[in-house]
């Protein structure tokens, strides 16, 4: 009988890690989640699957920082996973301008060390690297696998290094190592300091009187936004291929941050200009990525992947979830909005 697969996920407590873990558990994988130890445990996004799967030993949590190579090696030797998903990262572009060294340590060096450990200790393990559209930086849209990298931040630089590291282990050492070059993807589980979630969450707080204004930076930049659920499905599909390769995942449509604000406020028939201020210096970056729009035709052709959510679905999903967080349904929120 065929043995069920096992997978390691770094970054399992994050947005993508939590959705990916759910997907793999549904496919009957044994999932090993590598979590860095913090004084207050940050496991909200995976509490439900811990409750459901830990006791039946389908989900195992290990307290290991992604930069702790020897502990990761011990774990690889002990469990010999079939697949390794490297999602852990200092993932905030704006913050990376202040934390360059740590960003490169976590995002680039850790990737190199994990791949070296796989090469030495468990060569048949498939490896996925969470690469990013930020690597394209100032390159003209639409961007695809052949587009030049022109990173504009320490985060972008760190992801370019990890991208090439992954490719190097694939080409020089024959490791199954794939890069998913993912354009922005969001969800109700998006961190609060990314612009989309900041907008939907703050709007819910405005309705209950906890906030008055949403202070944003540059809202003229453009992003190609998808839903995290669609993108983790694409990640898994990359790992089921016979041959490792690099794939862009994107919707192919981009909008400005202003467009996103307008869409969210329109759901509640509110005039966004009354509630949003822009060009707040705290959120401006020393260099910006102005225009991202992905061409994912390779993934659509080879993986047969395509996103199910469009931006309107995504805005509604995120807003409804944030309203629920503060005890409101969409209809109740619309009534409150009329009085503002
Ligand atoms: P996220 O929500 O910020 O999650 C990042 C994860 O990395 C968290 O679980 C975090 O743990 C963990 N982490 C950070 N530093 C660590 C360390 N030193 N040791 C162990 N774990 C560490 O990010 P995401 O949106 O899910 O993105 C997942 C991956 O895809 C990241 O590599 C990101 O750079 C990349 N990516 C994301 C997007 C996007 O639009 N979302 C697009 C392209 C690429 P804590 O919970 O303890 O903080
Ligand atoms: O910014 C502008 C900001 O932080 C989007 C990460 O997942 O996607 C993400 O990186 C845009 C930028 O995402 C605010 O300047 C305006 O132009 O939501 P963000 P990001 O930088 O695109 C890529 C693909 C990743 O790989 C990353 O890990 O919005 N913006 N005002 C703002 N951004 C934030 N955060 N907050 C503001 O108030």
């Amino acid at each position: 009988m065929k043995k069920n697969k096992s997978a390691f996920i770094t970054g399992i407590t994050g947005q993508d890690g939590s959705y990916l873990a759910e997907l793999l558990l549904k496919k009957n994988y044994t999932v090993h989640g590598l979590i860095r130890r913090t004084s207050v445990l940050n496991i909200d996004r995976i509490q439900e699957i811990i409750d459901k799967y830990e006791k039946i030993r389908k989900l195992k949590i290990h307290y290991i920082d992604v930069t702790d190579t020897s502990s990761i090696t011990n774990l690889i030797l002990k469990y010999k996973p079939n697949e390794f998903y490297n999602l852990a990262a200092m993932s905030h572009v704006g913050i990376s301008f202040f934390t360059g060294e740590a960003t490169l340590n976590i995002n680039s060096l850790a990737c190199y060390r994990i791949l070296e450990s796989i090469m030495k200790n468990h060569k048949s393990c498939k490896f996925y690297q969470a690469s990013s559209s930020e690597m394209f930086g100032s390159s003209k849209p639409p961007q695809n696998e052949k587009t030049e990298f022109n990173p504009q931040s320490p985060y972008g630089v760190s992801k370019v290094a990890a991208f090439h590291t992954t490719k190097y282990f694939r080409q020089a050492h024959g490791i199954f190592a794939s890069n998913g070059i993912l354009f922005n993807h969001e969800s109700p589980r998006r961190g609060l300091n990314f612009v989309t979630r900041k907008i939907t969450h703050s709007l819910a707080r405005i309705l209950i009187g906890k906030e008055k204004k949403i202070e944003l930076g540059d809202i003229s930049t453009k992003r190609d936004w998808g839903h995290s659920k669609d993108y983790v499905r694409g990640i898994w599909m990359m790992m089921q291929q016979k041959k490792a390769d690099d794939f862009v995942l994107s919707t192919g449509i981009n909008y400005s941050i202003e467009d996103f604000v307008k869409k969210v406020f329109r759901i509640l028939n509110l005039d966004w200009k009354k509630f949003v201020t822009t060009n707040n210096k705290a959120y401006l970056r020393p260099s910006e990525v102005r225009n991202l729009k992905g061409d994912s035709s390779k993934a659509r052709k080879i993986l047969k992947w395509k996103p199910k959510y469009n931006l309107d679905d995504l805005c509604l999903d995120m807003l409804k979830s944030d309203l629920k967080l503060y005890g409101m349904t969409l209809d109740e929120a619309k009534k409150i909005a009329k009085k503002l």
Side-chain angles (χ1 to χ4, degrees):
M1 212 171 69
K2 226 172 150 190
K3 226 181 128 209
N4 290 330
K5 285 186 187 169
S6 61
F8 279 20
I9 305 179
T10 70
I12 192 171
T13 56
Q15 170 187 251
D16 293 1
S18 62
Y19 283 122
L20 179 66
E22 284 169 15
L23 182 98
L24 298 184
L25 287 163
K26 278 200 189 115
K27 292 185 184 294
N28 213 13
Y29 278 61
T30 300
V31 172
H32 296 264
L34 279 60
I35 297 182
R36 60 172 159 180
R37 198 262 167 196
T38 43
S39 64
V40 178
L41 260 188
N42 171 25
I43 51 170
D44 291 0
R45 292 175 176 121
I46 55 167
Q47 189 63 62
E48 240 181 81
I49 53 170
I50 288 181
D51 294 344
K52 188 166 171 195
Y53 293 100
E54 209 176 27
K55 54 180 179 288
I56 56 167
R57 295 170 175 223
K58 292 300 285 178
L59 175 65
K60 294 187 173 82
I61 298 298
H62 308 276
Y63 290 96
I64 294 181
D65 193 287
V66 75
T67 58
D68 181 357
T69 323
S70 57
S71 302
I72 294 183
T73 296
N74 290 340
L75 218 60
I76 289 175
L77 284 167
K78 184 166 178 193
Y79 292 102
K80 304 260 185 217
N82 301 98
E83 296 168 9
F84 193 119
Y85 295 87
N86 186 33
L87 307 185
M90 205 308 283
S91 69
H92 199 283
V93 176
I95 293 170
S96 80
F97 288 100
F98 305 99
T99 61
E101 192 180 324
T103 300
L104 265 83
N105 196 26
I106 296 165
N107 297 6
S108 322
L109 268 177
C111 170
Y112 185 93
R113 294 178 186 132
I114 293 167
L115 274 162
E116 195 172 51
S117 176
I118 288 176
M119 182 187 72
K120 286 183 182 157
N121 301 301
H122 182 37
K123 228 183 149 177
S124 63
C125 180
K126 290 181 165 185
F127 178 84
Y128 172 83
Q129 170 56 24
S131 289
S132 163
S133 54
E134 274 297 302
M135 301 188 305
F136 297 123
S138 57
S139 287
K140 269 200 189 140
Q143 296 96 356
N144 65 22
E145 295 82 3
K146 292 189 179 128
T147 304
E148 190 189 342
F149 296 146
N150 277 307
Q152 298 296 306
S153 64
Y155 173 83
V157 169
S158 75
K159 288 287 180 180
V160 171
F163 173 91
H164 286 301
T165 298
T166 303
K167 214 167 159 183
Y168 156 72
F169 276 94
R170 178 168 82 226
Q171 293 176 340
H173 300 290
I175 306 286
F176 185 110
S178 291
N179 284 290
I181 308 173
L182 272 49
F183 280 65
N184 295 54
H185 47 281
E186 323 289 311
S187 75
R189 295 187 194 170
R190 187 56 144 155
L192 291 170
N193 59 356
F194 295 93
V195 76
T196 55
R197 181 79 200 285
K198 177 172 169 181
I199 293 161
T200 58
H201 182 254
S202 294
L203 178 52
R205 287 173 61 81
I206 286 173
L207 292 178
I208 57 157
K210 292 262 182 205
E211 271 181 49
K212 286 199 161 37
K213 295 267 181 196
I214 310 178
E215 294 181 20
L216 299 177
D218 185 344
I219 61 165
S220 68
T221 59
K222 288 184 169 176
R223 292 293 183 268
D224 177 338
W225 283 294
H227 197 298
S228 175
K229 279 188 185 173
D230 278 333
Y231 287 50
V232 299
R233 185 166 37 83
I235 291 175
W236 177 76
M237 288 166 127
M238 287 176 212
M239 292 288 266
Q240 308 318 306
Q241 297 301 297
K242 285 220 167 72
K243 238 175 97 228
D245 205 345
D246 307 322
F247 295 96
V248 161
L249 296 186
S250 67
T251 70
I253 304 169
N254 68 354
Y255 294 90
S256 66
I257 315 301
E258 181 173 334
D259 293 332
F260 186 93
V261 173
K262 283 181 182 163
K263 277 185 183 291
V264 171
F265 275 75
R266 204 177 297 138
I267 297 173
L268 300 180
N269 298 314
L270 283 171
D271 176 5
W272 69 276
K273 288 204 168 134
K274 280 192 193 163
F275 303 97
V276 176
T277 65
T278 62
N279 288 318
N280 184 314
K281 281 204 177 95
Y283 306 112
L284 299 179
R285 298 171 182 180
S287 50
E288 254 299 352
V289 170
R290 301 222 59 83
N291 197 355
L292 289 176
K293 179 173 156 177
D295 162 16
S296 55
S297 36
K298 180 176 170 184
R300 288 172 196 240
K301 187 169 171 228
I302 297 176
L303 306 177
K304 311 266 181 285
W305 173 85
K306 70 171 186 216
K308 293 179 185 160
Y309 287 81
N310 64 29
L311 188 59
D312 290 314
D313 304 329
L314 177 67
C315 290
L316 192 61
D317 191 24
M318 292 179 72
L319 182 62
K320 271 182 165 173
S321 163
D322 280 323
L323 294 173
K324 196 173 165 200
L325 214 66
Y326 291 99
M328 281 172 280
T329 63
L330 188 57
D331 284 341
E332 286 163 351
K334 281 182 182 165
K335 279 184 199 150
I336 300 170
K338 270 191 186 160
K339 295 179 196 151
L340 290 179

